[in-house]
Amino acid sequence: VATVVLIAIGILIILLPSIMRHSPLSIRRSPLTSVFTFTDSATMPAGTPPPDSAAVVTALGKVIDPEVGISIVDLGLVHTVHIDSSGSVDVAVALTVAESPLVSELGTLASEAVIAVPGVRRATVHLDPKIPWDPSRLSPTARDLYRKRFGDPKLRK
């Protein structure tokens, strides 16, 4: 019983920002592809232009992977960013570990970062374990941090 209560409290804490905005965060996992999809929406005044991809990537650069402690942009996890003329943003994100226990936290953080960008009406973040990732995708700054934390000898300076 205590485990169930702790899990429920954890889920509530993760979803609390969306609940407080009165905009429920939708989380879906596709059983066929193992892709986690996080969707959030915001109300924008009429005539608000959609954001540009640089603003979305900048916002995602503030999202820290909870397992690694490095920005998902610096880790090279952001695979694609698509923005349509209505302000709907669709982001595909790789995972460093396919069966990440913190995938829900990462997806929530990423979708909240995207929805906070001015001009975003709808944010959809797909965490896809099938998108290939390896340490070669790290930025130079992240490469140094990664090497210090994990001591991977395969990483070059």
Side-chain angles (χ1 to χ4, degrees):
V1 174
T3 303
V4 173
V5 170
L6 289 174
I7 291 171
I9 290 171
I11 292 170
L12 181 61
I13 289 169
I14 290 170
L15 297 177
L16 192 59
S18 291
I19 294 168
M20 295 196 57
R21 279 197 321 265
H22 304 290
S23 170
L25 177 66
S26 166
I27 303 171
R28 211 178 52 226
R29 181 177 184 187
S30 169
L32 298 177
T33 62
S34 296
V35 174
F36 288 85
T37 301
F38 297 77
T39 305
D40 205 348
S41 58
T43 305
M44 289 286 146
T48 302
D52 61 9
S53 59
V56 173
V57 171
T58 298
L60 289 169
K62 297 174 186 169
V63 175
I64 305 300
D65 183 304
E67 287 183 292
V68 182
I70 301 172
S71 151
I72 64 172
V73 171
D74 286 334
L75 282 170
L77 297 180
V78 178
H79 185 64
T80 59
V81 175
H82 179 265
I83 303 169
D84 71 15
S85 60
S86 71
S88 288
V89 178
D90 195 71
V91 179
V93 177
L95 296 171
T96 56
V97 179
E99 295 298 323
S100 170
L102 299 174
V103 70
S104 181
E105 182 178 346
L106 180 61
T108 300
L109 292 170
S111 64
E112 288 174 350
V114 173
I115 203 69
V117 175
V120 174
R121 285 183 172 74
R122 182 178 172 93
T124 303
V125 176
H126 306 279
L127 298 180
D128 190 345
K130 292 184 180 176
I131 297 173
W133 181 87
D134 63 67
S136 69
R137 296 181 56 103
L138 295 165
S139 72
T141 303
R143 187 174 310 278
D144 290 338
L145 289 170
Y146 194 89
R147 188 183 298 109
K148 287 175 187 173
R149 289 187 183 147
F150 303 106
D152 191 342
K154 297 176 190 171
L155 294 174
R156 298 181 194 163
K157 288 188 177 185

